[in-house]
Structures are given as C-alpha cells and as structure tokens.
Amino acid sequence: MSRTKFILALDVDSFNEAMELVKELKGIVDIFKVGSQLFTSCGPTLIDAIHDEASEVFLDLKYYDIPNTVALAAAQACRKNVYMFDVHTSGGTEMMRRVIKSVSENSGERKPLIFGITVLTSMDEDQLAGIGVQRGVKEQVQLLAKLAQECGLSGVVASGYEIQKIKRTCGHHFLAVVPGIRPMTAIHADQKRVMTPRQAMEQGADFIVVGRPVLEAGDRKKAAQDIKNELEQVGPD
Ligand code: C5P
C-alpha cells in the first residue's frame, strides 16, 4: 500500500452526484474532500452519509475568522468526526493555537488532522503586493508554514514544488497535502506547474488531491485506479 494517500475532491453540486462518486470509488480513494461548493449546497448531512459508506472526509472549508469563531467551527468539525480539516494560517498564531486547543477539548476517540493554507496558488507576487505583503510568494509560504508548525498544526496544503523546502524547514513529520496533480496521460508540455501523482509522492507528498482528472474522465473508476496504481507503482493492465 502507498504511504501517499489519495484524496478525491468532490467538486460537484449535489448530494446525489457526490454520493454516486463515493459509492463508485470508495475502494480506490482514501479520503473524500468536501469543499465550499458542495458543503454550501448539501451541508453536514453529507459528511454523515460519507461516513455511512465507511469512508473518510477532508472538510476543506479553509476557515479564516477571529480566533473564537474558528475555534468554535473546529469544535463542530471534531463532533462531525472528520479525518482532516483546514484553516488559513494568515489568520495568525492566536487563531491557530485556539484551534489546536479546541480540537484537544472536543475530539473523541481520534483527533482530526489540521492543515494550514499558506498562500493560495492563485496568488502571485503582484497579487501579494496588492494586499500589502512585500515578501515573495516562496518566502511567505515558508514563513507561514513555520508558524503553522510552531502552533501545532499537522501540516500545510502546498504545491508539489514547495514540499521539499517546507519539510527541510519544518521537519519530515510535518505533513504535506498537494493539489495540482495531473496523471501522466493528462500532462501536456505547456503545463509546467503540475505534477503527476508519482512525482508528488517522490517529492514527499503525504496526501495528493485530485479533482477534474477523475471527475471529468469518461471512465471515472479507471481514471481513479490509474492514479492509485501510479502511487503504488503498479504498471497499466
Ligand atoms: O485541479 P483539480 O480539479 O484537480 O483541483 C482539485 C481541488 O484542489 C479543488 O477542490 C481545489 O479547491 C483544490 N485546490 C486547493 N489548493 C490549491 C489548488 C487547488 O485546495 N492550491
């Protein structure tokens, strides 16, 4: 079994579409990611339905608010028994520390993993400067990753190209969740900022997040199985 876990982004609009994917792919995918699109449409009953299929949930709502509010949201994520959830590290150290405390006080048998968002991959240097951040993207990512680690978060969501530096700065046990994954068959010469599942794994990804390469495939089960095989280094049939 691969040590890099496969997260499928359930980026669909409805409960039925999401549960069809969960039922079809639960033997292949390790964790199902519920983001703001689906959560806004279906709410927390979807989390229960995914658990009823003996599957795990990454609640990807990227919390960003005052410490008290985020701590209360984290308590609800614990009560929902999600496997992992995330917060924006730019919410600050007090916010992150309150989240850790809230998780300790409110989780049952197991604690959810807590991940930090550093700099959104949609932000470049100009965008950062536009909101008053003078540091470059790479430096800002490192700074926020280090703060997240000092506050006790489990890891960060990061590009495959940032993992090695983050692990050098924060240590090997600080986990990396890596989106921007494209399977070998979908890689085109003009796509430079994506990685194959295998490349991300070799860079040290603990989790990969995949959405459209599976959701938009003609045969979703095969697309998911190919990714799983790539992680487990099994050749194509
Ligand atoms: O591009 P793809 O469809 O594979 O994206 C899958 C997921 O990765 C989306 O749900 C998106 O929100 C998430 N993502 C992320 N952080 C990024 C880039 C994408 O969480 N920096």
Side-chain angles (χ1 to χ4, degrees), residues 17-47:
E17 283 173 279
M19 289 314 295
E20 198 182 302
L21 279 160
V22 172
K23 286 178 184 162
E24 187 182 359
L25 303 176
K26 65 181 179 182
I28 305 169
V29 165
D30 296 305
I31 299 157
F32 292 93
K33 182 169 90 68
V34 177
S36 46
Q37 174 189 0
L38 187 59
F39 193 81
T40 303
S41 152
C42 304
T45 49
L46 180 80
I47 297 173

Side-chain angles (χ1 to χ4, degrees), residues 82-103:
V82 299
Y83 183 82
M84 58 204 277
F85 71 94
D86 53 7
V87 303
H88 270 280
T89 55
S90 46
T93 53
E94 193 202 333
M95 187 202 89
M96 288 191 273
R97 291 206 167 97
R98 287 283 304 275
V99 167
I100 298 295
K101 186 163 178 279
S102 172
V103 165

Side-chain angles (χ1 to χ4, degrees), residues 173-235:
H173 296 296
F174 193 62
L175 303 172
V177 175
V178 179
I181 300 294
R182 292 294 174 266
M184 203 63 107
T185 47
I187 290 277
H188 301 296
D190 59 343
Q191 291 178 320
K192 298 218 164 46
R193 300 298 295 167
V194 294
M195 276 192 179
T196 66
R198 185 92 208 150
Q199 285 168 333
M201 182 174 130
E202 285 165 0
Q203 289 295 310
D206 299 284
F207 301 84
I208 58 164
V209 179
V210 187
R212 286 163 293 178
V214 171
L215 304 183
E216 294 175 359
D219 183 343
R220 300 187 305 201
K221 199 160 188 170
K222 182 179 182 309
Q225 189 63 56
D226 285 349
I227 289 166
K228 189 78 175 165
N229 290 349
E230 218 183 301
L231 292 175
E232 292 176 353
Q233 210 163 26
V234 178

